[in-house]
Amino acid sequence: MSTPEIILRNAAQLVKEPLIDPKKKYADVNNDVCAPLERLPNFAWWKAFGIANVCLLIGLTAMGLTIGTGIGQWGLNRTVGWAFDITNFVFWIGIGHAGTLISAILFLFRQKWRTSINRSAEAMTIFAVMTAGLFPLIHVGRQWMAFWLFPYPNQRDLWVNFRSPLLWDVFAVSTYFTISLVFWYIGLIPDIASVRDRAKNKIRKLIYGILSLGWTGSARAWNHYETAYMLLAGLSTPLVLSVHSIVSFDFAVSILPGWHTTIFPPYFVAGAIFSGFAMVVTLLVIARKVLGLESYIRLVHLENMNKIIMLTGMMVGYAYATEFFTAWYSANEYERFVFINRAFGPYGWSYWTMVTCNVLIPQLFWFKKIRRSLSIMFVISIFVNIGMWFERFVIIVTSLHRDFLPSSWSMYKPSIVEVGILIGSFGMFFTLFLLFCRVLPTIAMSEVKGVMHGEQHGTGEAGHHASGGAHG
Amino acid sequence: MDQQQNESSTNTKKYWRSIEDLLEGNAKTDESGEFAMSPTREGQSEEATDGHSRREFLKLMGASFALMGASACTRRPAEKILPYVNKPSEVVPGVANWYASVCGECESGCGVLVKTREGRPIKFEGNPKHPLSEGKLCARGQASILNLYDPDRLQAALSPGRKGVATGTTWEKLDADVVAKIQNARASGKKVRVLTGEVGGPSTEKLVQEFLSGTGNSKHVVYDVLGNDEIATAAALSYGERVVPHYRFEKAEMIVSFGADFLGTWLSPVEFGRGFSKNRKVGKNAVGNPKDMSRFVAFESVMTLTGTNADQRHRVKSGEEALAAMALAYELIVTQGRTRYAGDSNVRAALGSGASAAQTLGIPAEVFKKTAQDLWERRGKSIVVGGGQSAKGPHALQLEVLVNLLNSALENEGVTVDGTTNPARDRSSYQDLAQLIGEMKSGQVGVLFIHRSNPVYSLPKSMGFTEALGKVGLVVYFGDKFDETARVSDHVCATPHSTEAWGDSSPYTGVYAIQQPTISPLYKTRGFEESLMVWAKQLHLSGAIAAQPNWHEYLKAYWRDTVHRQSGSGAPFDLFWEEALREGVVLTSAARAQTSRPRSFSANSLGFGGTGKVASVQGTTLALYPKVSQYDGRTANNGWLQEMPDPVTKVTWDNYALVSPGMAKQLSVKEGDVVRLKTQAGSIELPVWVQPGMHDQTVGAAVGYGRKGVGRVGDDIGVNVFPLAQASEKALALSGLAVTVEKTGATYSLAATQKHHSYEGRPIIREASLKDYQKNAHAGNEHHEHLTTIWPKHQYPGYRWGMAIDLNSCTGCSACVVACQSENNIPVVGKKFVLTSREMHWLRIDRYYTGKVEAPEVVHQPMICQHCENAPCETVCPVLATMHDHEGLNQQVYNRCVGTRYCANNCPYKVRRFNWFTFTDVASPLNLAYNPDITVRTRGVMEKCTFCVQRIRDAKDHAKDVGGKVKDGDLKTACQQTCPTDAIVFGDINDLNTRVSQIASDPRGYHVLEELNVRPSVTYLTKIRNNT
Amino acid sequence: MANSMAQVKQVITQAEAHMAKKPLKGVVGIFSEPESLKRAAAQIRDKQVKEFDAFTPFPVHGIEEAMGLKRSFLPWVTFISGLIGCAAGLGLQIWTSAVDWPLNVGGKPFVSLPAFIPITFECTVLFAGLATAGALIAVCKLPNMNPDILHPDLTNDKFALFVSAEDPSYRETEFSDLLKRAGAIDVRTL
């Protein structure tokens, strides 16, 4: 966007900056948001989709190799039993959290600005959790037996171990996925109805008709709908907090120095929101351009998210510091060693990468100019995601590779196969997201209209004429 | 108070940083110091190394052996053999039969029990009735069973005709040719020669003699490249009789060793280890005085397993061991004027050069002063030994003579050093070999038989053995591989494994043991003795040979005529024979009486038979030493041994140049840098391993590597260093060789299982000096956590299994590691995967260094699953694949495990092992070595020590049959069973009277990482050092 | 509680009425913005009309009051199904770990309550969430494969008020005038 335009926007900030371009009418919302669904995808989309698919294929090949021959394909060893696999798992689960936060928590806090971004953020959640869910399944030694992790009595009436954090994960992640999906779909119903009603050809009408469950927008239905939406938001909020807390239990509940840490739950949740928002920014900076939705996903939205990124960034920074203090204060030689080794040991480089990306770089958002500069925020959001990936890597690998008995200390070096799987996870995520952009409204139209509604008082007349004209 | 003492006991020790740091010259000696892992060694990329992956190798094997493998299951030898205990001897499916026999892996001749299931041998264990092994066995003995099923063994006779190609033949053709050639030789007055290593069997000796006497102009030449020629020769000088004495470490309270690796590779390590440990045990584990233990002072150049167990270890340049002995003798006899030789002017004169010795060696005089005093105080109860590689140096003879002097002077002669019941290990003679080569060169030898010896591999070029072979009419090689010597022979007689053939042994005068076959030969092989019998018949020789139809009968006849008579047994021979087969060993009345008389030392021998004075050696020297796992390389194709971490370096699958940190710094090399070693004899390239405790001017290199033609596992592993040995007319020098070391710039990956060598002052190792221990039995072990739990504890009615490991007894010999591997079907993963820390051993021995880098103190800590009461691994397993049983065992359910590896991550002891690939799909017949009582684990499954649950099951079934509970001592885990030093004790800890309960309640007892409150079932006992 | 029960009854009667699926009869007014719609709705309600409904592209605030709709009863569904989920989750864990096949895991008691909390919580949320969604779909009489679309733009930028002829107090001309006066841009009778 050109500089004069930015200046203009900044000027607009002096008065209360509108969430939606004031020039927009109700009808424009449908036209603008549904447009991408109704025209053939542009070259940019095809390019992105192609790249995503190639990555996905790389990942599938790597997974095939692993399942076909053995986990030995990875760089793991007797001392370091987890590395890329669980790092990726935690990373993607974390990404998911921003979606739920925006759709649920901001909803409860009546943050109107969420309406432009919650749809795509929720979609991101769904796809991120799907990607994450892959890793617990493929990281096991006998992937074909992975279903044993689900609670059912096998032929020997043997159930599962409900004391194991990994099993808590199974419940947490599947519940999180289910509820997020339902929440998302409930939100979609009215918009799908809109798409149905403006559909020109039969098949399209039929498909969206089925998906919309025959929604008519009856006020009596809206009455229940709003209650249900609020309830689901209320359920999702503790859920999203519980999910990453439970993921953090995978480590916190173990006895390994560097894992056995009581601050993990809040620390992980903050980190998750941090990385999640960064990913939303990454996605939306591109999406709003490609889908031509600049007047709905506006700088104010991105700026608000950048503020949250800065805040949560400082929270994780605080957590890093706390960990070191606790280690020192505990006077436990194993604890102390692990943290010294974490920062100055052979994996020190990864620790400092993490600190730089997560704590230092987000500080740039103190400056409004940077907060509102698309290119810079895009770069920073990428850095944050790199940093958060490394945070999990640091926690997992540096704690494992040098634990209690020095005799079994060892080093971990990722194999090409693991890298392939990491690439594949991104491929899967972006493939799904790009498809979503093609087939479903990327902005919650009904909610946006709700927000516009208030502002339209002044221009009510204009609204009349416009729509009247449209009708007459 | 306690806290402080604990602090002091753990933190006052000096540590140093990584060896690299030392080289950079910033050595630290504060407690934060460490042996850090060197970056070159860690996270080795798999591509970077030419991995000898056992798995890959096995995949190659295909099904070519399947048929024979299958048939092997039901075949039993034709002759009548009797099981050790179980009668009747018919195979009961699922029930093991045990046969007494003799271990054929080395010349010590330890008695073994061979465990057979459905007619196939599956495990070796020591024979408790045998006076040497007393039920114990070393790592190589434990691994012997794998050699039986080695797919690369020769399966039939070959006639390569010196062309190096394995051309098959039939025994008939071979016999015909051999017989013809012998007759020619006889006709043309050419010589017939038999060259063997030490062959312990008296019947074999007799047979060879008779065979040769029948073939006229002939001689039996014995040469073992690692033999004890010098000791026997020195004995001849000092005592007038050429013997290798019987060393009785169990009677020694003060031990001084000049480079003799008696716990690892010298003479009879199992027996010596057993004897040595008897006087090392204190407290409730003690055999004798619970408050005292022996002192062991070692003077050595290479850091050996034995050296790591010394209370005081002093570095001597390789080749100067004799000088050290001289210094000690001088101190004792001249300076302190003690012993009966103090007045002997000849002796004093001969020791003259000892005055400056200590100084030359750079060892403080007080060391010799103190040592001499200690020796004198314990005269008659001490022992001085010199042997192994140190007895292969320039002054070997001098060393041995001085050792004799010291033992005689200290009145150990006839007590701890017994020249009367000497082992049959004194035949090896370099002189004879040199003479033989001479004869060969001059074309006088018509027929040469080579058995239990691989001269082409082990003799340096300069001796010209290989060329000499060219002048021999017919070369017949006995061996089980188409190896170096086989390739240049006319005929190769494929020999069977020791479990496939009859034999006997007489490890000491008056001790006779029978090697009875437990399976009929898998292949068309024929033993050395059997061949001689056949040929004797065809040559129509007269005498006992003619009288007996075959080797088995010949052996039986020998026992009838000799052993039965000497034994003084009243029983008729048939009963005696059956009893002998059942027991496996017979002691003559003389041996039972055990009367030994001191030999008188002749001071003239201090002239060293004119081999020159004891002198210092200039420059850097090279010591070629045998490794515990490989010895002279005869079983290089044994994957268990190749992957067994060296007890000292913890390196697998390679040999290397051992250099001290000092020398490494001076050469600016680090682990993995390849150096070129040049001696007069030649030059080779080896990767460096920086080894604390090495002498700064000595390089060590292990023999037994770089084999050719032994098979897919062992071929070209490491480098053969024998070519660097220096042949003179008197002896073949393996150590004290003048060497130049230069850096080549190349690097090579060495696969070590332990990469960090300091225990960081953590209370996982607890030790104390004997003095402190005598003052306070809790010394070094004062601090214990006060542990509570908020949960009601689970009850363990009936049995509750536990273990006690005495760090003071464990020498780190690693027999348990291989025993566990054999018992529990533990796969070999190959160098490639050891490099990535994926070795599968359930039982590992952690080796830590403390103290000064020049003279590190070493502790060996066997580490297995601790079977914690509050097992962290169990809580985190999502599928209940690991949980506790009602007897306190931490169980691993293989078929339920999905392989999340969470348990391994959460195991503070890191004893869990994961099947990264399918390591167990071994091709026949290796699969026959599997223990049928143990599941073979598939890929993707976690595994770990089970406390040998199958043995527990077995013992409980047995107890049920006879009624009552399992008797303490009836039930032994595989590691405990083979441990030569009884460092491991296993049993029911619910019963306070069991030995394990007793030992665990010793004040020295502690749990590793007890502060975690995981409540391990394994108790460790503090290490006590008698060094102050 | 009582009034929510009443609501349920109402819903059911509506559902029954719908099941009959006879062609819609009544008068519908199309509005272009919500305020006039609300005004019209309020007036209709004042005429004691029950059988009427509004259609909007987004939830219009204040329409509930205007139409005299009561608070939704869905929170009760959520609450009760949440309790059920909680009990089910905890019950499953205790039964399998302590009753069906007790195993000594890490020396912990068979009923390790602290360890059972996370899954209990997750089950609570799962049950509550799914039940709420299900109840919503049911109460909105969804899925409905051929809904009566009164105007294609009702999910876009138009608002509609429909009074059913079913209602006893239905007076066609009066209502259509009322809708016109209220600001309907188009009034039709079906």
Side-chain angles (χ1 to χ4, degrees), chain A residues 67 74 78 250 404 411, chain B residues 42 762 838-839 902 939:
Chain A
I67 296 169
W74 300 354
R78 55 159 156 74
D250 283 347
F404 294 97
M411 288 294 284
Chain B
E42 289 174 85
R762 297 176 176 186
R838 291 172 179 185
E839 70 276 3
Y902 198 174
R939 134 198 167 204

Side-chain angles (χ1 to χ4, degrees), chain B residues 641-889:
Chain B
L641 292 176
Q642 287 287 6
E643 194 152 303
M644 184 192 106
D646 181 83
V648 181
T649 63
K650 293 296 164 193
V651 177
T652 63
W653 290 99
D654 268 304
N655 64 340
Y656 31 76
L658 289 175
V659 304
S660 74
M663 184 188 282
K665 185 177 170 190
Q666 175 225 331
L667 293 168
S668 71
V669 291
K670 54 184 163 14
E671 282 164 13
D673 285 353
V674 177
V675 294
R676 186 176 298 106
L677 303 176
K678 253 208 215 75
T679 68
Q680 274 175 292
S683 105
I684 52 128
E685 294 185 358
L686 275 177
V688 160
W689 184 263
V690 180
Q691 178 59 53
M694 288 292 294
H695 188 277
D696 286 333
Q697 284 182 296
T698 295
V699 182
V703 298
Y705 284 84
R707 291 293 313 273
K708 300 248 184 297
V710 291
R712 268 154 276 202
V713 173
D715 279 355
D716 303 312
I717 298 281
V719 181
N720 180 13
V721 296
F722 274 124
L724 297 186
Q726 188 61 45
S728 68
E729 75 285 354
K730 283 258 177 275
L732 178 63
L734 295 182
S735 63
L737 306 161
V739 68
T740 60
V741 189
E742 61 197 44
K743 193 176 176 181
T744 63
T747 62
Y748 181 84
S749 308
L750 290 169
T753 57
Q754 183 176 346
K755 297 160 184 176
H756 191 85
H757 309 300
S758 158
Y759 60 84
E760 299 291 319
R762 297 176 176 186
I764 55 182
I765 300 287
R766 304 192 179 184
E767 46 183 302
S769 72
L770 182 62
K771 280 229 171 41
D772 296 345
Y773 174 72
Q774 283 163 339
K775 286 196 220 81
N776 167 16
H778 293 271
N781 193 29
E782 298 87 350
H783 181 68
H784 290 282
E785 303 289 336
H786 303 294
L787 302 168
T788 59
T789 172
I790 59 170
W791 295 314
K793 298 177 80 183
H794 287 272
Q795 296 310 308
Y796 298 95
Y799 300 107
R800 172 134 186 226
W801 306 111
M803 188 179 272
I805 299 176
D806 187 347
L807 294 184
N808 209 33
S809 303
C810 177
T811 63
C813 74
S814 302
C816 50
V817 176
V818 182
C820 176
Q821 192 154 22
S822 171
E823 171 75 15
N824 294 302
N825 302 342
I826 296 169
V828 172
V829 300
K831 178 182 177 182
K832 183 174 169 187
F833 293 125
V834 176
L835 276 170
T836 48
S837 304
R838 291 172 179 185
E839 70 276 3
M840 297 296 287
H841 298 129
W842 287 2
L843 190 169
R844 68 172 193 265
I845 298 181
D846 295 343
R847 185 267 301 113
Y848 296 108
Y849 300 127
T850 57
K852 294 200 304 297
V853 74
E854 296 76 24
E857 288 184 341
V858 185
V859 57
H860 301 276
Q861 182 177 47
M863 187 49 67
I864 54 169
C865 174
Q866 306 284 302
H867 292 269
C868 313
E869 182 179 346
N870 302 335
C873 52
E874 295 174 357
T875 315
V876 298
C877 175
V879 295
L880 287 168
T882 180
M883 91 296 290
H884 247 57
D885 79 353
H886 59 287
E887 295 177 350
L889 292 183

Side-chain angles (χ1 to χ4, degrees), chain B residues 120-413:
Chain B
R120 69 187 161 91
I122 58 167
K123 191 167 187 302
F124 270 30
E125 292 193 356
N127 179 354
K129 299 267 171 73
H130 197 285
L132 261 82
S133 47
E134 282 186 3
K136 309 306 185 180
L137 220 50
C138 71
R140 291 193 300 129
Q142 286 290 345
S144 179
I145 199 73
L146 204 63
N147 299 335
L148 167 63
Y149 300 112
D150 180 348
D152 293 344
R153 266 172 65 198
L154 290 184
Q155 296 171 44
L158 302 175
S159 292
R162 312 193 183 188
K163 291 190 199 62
V165 271
T167 353
T169 183
T170 66
W171 284 107
E172 294 67 27
K173 286 216 207 85
L174 188 147
D175 294 341
D177 189 43
V178 170
V179 169
K181 290 289 189 341
I182 293 176
Q183 280 158 340
N184 296 354
R186 210 189 290 170
S188 60
K190 293 225 173 186
K191 300 185 166 105
V192 176
R193 291 282 181 265
V194 175
L195 169 62
T196 71
E198 296 277 9
V199 282
S203 321
T204 311
E205 295 261 6
K206 180 157 171 291
L207 176 66
V208 174
Q209 290 316 325
E210 287 189 4
F211 179 82
L212 290 177
S213 61
T215 53
N217 183 356
S218 53
K219 184 176 175 200
H220 180 194
V221 176
V222 177
Y223 182 71
D224 184 340
V225 70
L226 296 178
N228 304 283
D229 198 353
E230 296 75 8
I231 297 177
T233 318
L237 282 174
S238 308
Y239 304 113
E241 194 191 0
R242 187 183 162 81
V243 298
V244 172
H246 184 186
Y247 300 96
R248 298 187 170 280
F249 286 87
E250 67 272 21
K251 295 181 180 173
E253 294 173 10
M254 173 70 195
I255 299 148
V256 175
S257 165
F258 296 99
D261 182 17
F262 59 87
L263 295 175
T265 54
W266 183 54
L267 272 177
S268 190
V270 174
E271 180 199 10
F272 293 166
R274 222 191 63 244
F276 174 72
S277 66
K278 283 214 169 76
N279 296 327
R280 304 288 291 178
K281 297 182 187 298
V282 295
K284 294 189 173 165
N285 204 11
V287 180
N289 175 358
K291 275 289 178 191
D292 200 5
M293 65 187 271
S294 70
R295 164 168 298 176
F296 171 29
V297 181
F299 296 87
E300 58 177 24
S301 54
V302 174
M303 185 75 159
T304 66
L305 170 65
T306 308
T308 63
N309 287 283
D311 295 307
Q312 293 168 353
R313 182 178 177 279
H314 305 287
R315 303 186 303 165
V316 177
K317 189 200 286 191
S318 175
E320 291 185 344
E321 290 89 350
L323 206 56
M326 178 66 89
L328 183 59
Y330 182 87
E331 172 67 32
L332 177 70
I333 297 169
V334 181
T335 314
Q336 299 183 7
R338 289 178 167 135
T339 80
R340 70 169 79 101
Y341 299 103
D344 186 325
S345 55
N346 301 347
V347 175
R348 296 180 77 94
L351 296 177
S353 62
S356 59
Q359 198 177 350
T360 323
L361 292 162
I363 298 173
E366 305 76 61
V367 169
F368 293 103
K369 188 153 174 290
K370 182 85 174 67
T371 312
Q373 282 164 352
D374 291 341
L375 279 169
W376 183 247
E377 283 162 22
R378 297 192 180 73
R379 58 186 178 281
K381 299 199 296 287
S382 63
I383 188 169
V384 180
V385 290
Q389 51 90 9
S390 68
K392 296 284 171 195
H395 306 299
L397 198 62
Q398 288 86 333
L399 170 64
E400 296 307 332
V401 170
L402 287 165
V403 166
N404 293 343
L405 168 65
L406 282 164
N407 280 320
S408 295
L410 293 164
E411 297 150 36
N412 299 331
E413 182 53 43

